[in-house]
Every structure is written in structure tokens, then in C-alpha cells.
Amino acid sequence: MSDNLRGSLFMVLAMLGFAIEDAFFKAATGTGDVSAGVGTMLFGIFGTSFFVLYALWIKEPLVSRAYVQGPLLIRSAFEILGRLFFALSLAFAPLSTTSAILQAAPLVVTLGAALVLKEKVGPRRWVAMSIGFVGVLLILRPTPSGFDATAVFAILGMIGFAGRDLMTRASPPEVSATQLGILGFLMVFIAGVVITMFESAPISAPSVPALTMLMGTGLAGLVGYSALTKAMRTGEVSVVAPFRYSRLLIALVFAYLIFGERPDALTLIGATLIVGSGVYTLVRSGRKDRAGSAPRSGV
């Protein structure tokens, strides 16, 4: 089995894990047995505990001084923003809409890299990004008759995740993936605290079924995180990365079979535009990276 094939399979496994995570969280918070805030806090506690135990096992420092430096402080703020509104979106918006809008995050990262990190983006990728954002508008339908206010949660969550990924690029190299995991899940917990501050219902312990689903959320998320790390270290990024869009296909199946959602034609068309433009952007970036690293010909 080639490295590219292994990396692609790990990426699909990662997206399956994240899709299951989303479905479990939506099922747990959608029943009313646990609020979105409490569910997010428990998810943060589960993930933080795992990474702390793993860091102790490999004898790695739990924290880094870089946590209080500019890039990681900004990353943490974006992490809270993303987790806060993504949790609200999963709780109140259709899973198909939430997952489709989330796929625009790589496009926003590319836009941010051009505007903030001053990376060069060619005209073709600008066109691809524009097409992707048209897809987002098709899903949102910002008209009085077609607009769904809960979709704003997904938009804000996607912006938060894109900002987190952008700041991850700018984070100090001495911060390990495990330390980033600890920091990230601590921010998930804080996001849960923020949500509970604005919830009208009093905080209460989740029911056994809801707690079981939240444990499934944490386990699926950890599988997805581990598989994603493995995927991005196996094979060529330009080959492996586009398989991240398999998450949308899996989410649409879950939305149909579990939650009885029936996305309309405009939602499906918008999702197709987002995925297509995202895949083109990733592949185009990979080709430019290979061309930039290849030795020049003497001809």
C-alpha cells in the first residue's frame, strides 16, 4: 500500500470520527437531557484529560510558555469562538447545514493566509474561493423568506475554526501537538462555560443516555484527531488533504438516516460548490508547493 493511499485512508477515518462526534453531540443535546453548554464542558474535560494523561505517559511537559504569546493567545480566542458557535449550531441547526458550511473553513484559511500572512494567491484560486463563498450564500439564502437564523452559528463557528488553523501555522514550533491538544480542549471547556452563562435553564447533570452519547462524542473526536495527525504525516498533502471533504458526505448520510433531514436542492448545490472549490484550492496549493521545491532545470 502506497503512502498516499494510507494517508488518504487515515484522512477518511478521521472525517468519519469527526462526523460521528458531531452526530453524537447533536443527539445528546437535541433530546433536552443535556444543554449545549454542559455538553461542551464535558467534551472539553474528556479531551483535556486524555491529552494530559498522554503527555504524562510520554513524559512531555503539560504546558508551554508559548501559551501566553501572541499567536497562541489569538489561536485560543478563535478556538473558543469556533467551539462555542459550532456547539450551538450542532444543537439547534440541521446537521447537513452545519457540516456543509464548515467545509468552507479551508477557503477562509487561504483567504486569511493571503491577507494576514501575505502568502501569494493566484487569480485562479481567488476565483475558486469566490465560487465557494457563493455556495455558502446558496445554503444561507439571506432573504427574508429563506434565511435560517441558526445557520449564523455555523458561519461564526467556521470562522473561528479557520482563524484557529491560521494561527496554528503561526504558532511557535517548540509547542508540540500534545500541548496544542491540551490547550485546545481547555478552550473547549471554557467555551462550554460561556454557553452555560447565557442558558436560561439551570445547570443539571445529564441523563445516563446523554452522558453515554457525550462519552461517544469524546471517543470519536479523539479517534478523528489521532487519524488526522497520522494522515497529514503520511503521503503528499495535496493528495491526502482533499479527502477531508468526505466528512460532508458522511454527515449527509447521518443527517438523512438518524435525524430525518432532507436537504433541498439549493443546499446540495451549495455544498457541491464549496467542496469543489475547496478541493481545487488544495490541489492547486500542492502543485505550487511541489513546483517551488523542485530544482530548476538548466535548460
Side-chain angles (χ1 to χ4, degrees):
M1 186 182 295
S2 67
D3 286 345
N4 282 341
L5 179 56
R6 278 200 305 272
S8 300
L9 291 176
F10 275 120
M11 180 62 78
V12 172
L13 176 62
M15 296 305 106
L16 175 62
F18 290 140
I20 293 174
E21 170 196 327
D22 296 344
F24 268 130
F25 188 89
K26 184 172 182 62
T29 56
T31 60
D33 292 336
V34 62
S35 69
V38 173
T40 304
M41 283 195 297
L42 290 174
F43 182 42
I45 292 172
F46 187 93
T48 302
S49 301
F50 171 84
F51 279 106
V52 166
L53 291 174
Y54 181 70
L56 292 174
W57 182 46
I58 63 176
K59 299 180 179 180
E60 186 174 282
L62 297 181
V63 297
S64 169
R65 292 181 180 178
Y67 282 179
V68 295
Q69 294 179 4
L72 285 185
L73 286 176
I74 298 173
R75 182 186 186 275
S76 296
F78 275 120
E79 181 80 68
I80 293 174
L81 176 70
R83 286 294 178 178
L84 194 158
F85 285 105
F86 188 61
L88 292 175
S89 184
L90 285 175
F92 299 111
L95 178 61
S96 54
T97 299
T98 301
S99 298
I101 292 176
L102 182 64
Q103 305 312 307
L107 300 176
V108 178
V109 171
T110 302
L111 177 63
L115 299 179
V116 178
L117 302 181
K118 306 303 180 183
E119 292 186 6
K120 292 184 178 180
V121 176
R124 294 181 182 179
R125 283 199 286 167
W126 282 113
V127 171
M129 282 190 288
S130 300
I131 293 173
F133 293 131
V134 169
V136 173
L137 291 177
L138 287 177
I139 296 172
L140 288 178
R141 267 158 283 181
T143 61
S145 60
F147 181 67
D148 182 3
T150 59
V152 175
F153 293 149
I155 287 286
L156 293 174
M158 180 268 293
I159 292 173
F161 287 147
R164 175 201 63 188
D165 293 346
L166 191 63
M167 286 299 101
T168 299
R169 292 189 183 186
S171 63
E174 64 268 20
V175 181
S176 69
T178 303
Q179 291 171 335
L180 283 177
I182 293 173
L183 178 63
F185 274 102
L186 281 174
M187 296 307 106
V188 173
F189 174 78
I190 293 174
V193 172
V194 174
I195 295 174
T196 57
M197 292 173 60
F198 293 93
E199 290 177 332
S200 57
I203 298 177
S204 59
S207 64
V208 174
L211 184 60
T212 302
M213 285 185 283
L214 287 174
M215 291 177 65
T217 299
L219 182 60
L222 292 174
V223 170
Y225 182 90
S226 301
L228 179 62
T229 302
K230 185 69 174 177
M232 296 309 293
R233 292 176 176 176
T234 308
E236 299 174 68
V237 173
S238 60
V239 175
V240 173
F243 282 90
R244 71 187 305 125
Y245 291 103
S246 60
R247 179 175 183 172
L248 177 58
L249 300 177
I250 299 169
L252 289 175
V253 172
F254 286 168
Y256 183 89
L257 295 178
I258 301 174
F259 302 105
E261 297 178 12
R262 303 293 185 270
D264 58 19
L266 283 179
T267 298
L268 294 176
I269 293 172
T272 301
L273 290 177
I274 293 171
V275 170
S277 58
V279 169
Y280 176 84
T281 300
L282 288 171
V283 172
R284 186 77 181 173
S285 299
R287 288 176 178 174
K288 288 188 67 177
D289 291 342
R290 287 199 299 271
S293 62
R296 292 187 178 183
S297 171
V299 177

